[in-house]
Amino acid sequence: MKKYTKLNIRNKKYPTIKSVKAVKMKIKKGDTVKLLSGKDKGKSGKVLRAFPKDRKVIVEGVNVHKRHTRAIGNQSGRIIEKSLPVNVSNVAKTN
C-alpha cells in the first residue's frame, strides 16, 4: 500500500477559497498614524495606501524593507527601500 504525502493526497477535497468582502476601516489614505506594536513601535507617519480587503495599510517610513538590485547594462547596482504593509490593529490614528 502506498503512503500518502503532502503532494500525493487521494480522496480528499481541497478547501475552496472564499471571497473576502472589504471591511470599512476608520484609517484612510492621508491620515497620520502611530504604531502600537512591532519593531517600529512608537514611530508615526502618514498613510500612503490602504488595503481594506486585507485590513492593512502602508505607512511612510515604517516597516521598511531593503532590496538589493543587480547592475543591468550601464546602470550600477543599488539598494531600494520599500515600506511594507502593516496590520490596521497595530496602528492608531493621531491628530
Side-chain angles (χ1 to χ4, degrees):
M1 194 165 173
K2 194 173 187 181
K3 287 188 177 181
Y4 298 114
T5 62
K6 286 183 181 179
L7 300 175
N8 183 18
I9 299 174
R10 289 189 176 199
N11 302 325
K12 296 229 177 178
K13 290 185 179 179
Y14 290 101
T16 56
I17 298 170
K18 295 178 182 177
S19 61
V20 180
K21 292 183 181 179
V23 182
K24 188 175 180 182
M25 295 191 312
K26 293 181 180 180
I27 297 168
K28 297 177 180 88
K29 180 181 173 181
D31 290 346
T32 306
V33 293
K34 185 178 181 182
L35 243 69
L36 300 175
S37 64
K39 65 177 184 177
D40 295 322
K41 182 179 179 179
K43 287 187 181 179
S44 61
K46 195 175 187 180
V47 175
L48 300 175
R49 198 162 170 204
F51 303 101
K53 241 182 198 179
D54 302 329
R55 307 251 327 135
K56 294 189 179 200
V57 290
I58 294 179
V59 183
E60 185 179 24
V62 175
N63 197 18
V64 178
H65 173 74
K66 290 185 178 181
R67 182 163 189 260
H68 300 267
T69 58
R70 185 182 292 170
I72 300 171
N74 59 356
Q75 285 185 343
S76 60
R78 58 186 174 169
I79 299 170
I80 299 170
E81 291 187 352
K82 182 180 178 184
S83 292
L84 296 179
V86 179
N87 201 315
V88 176
S89 64
N90 298 335
V91 162
K93 203 175 195 180
T94 58
N95 293 334

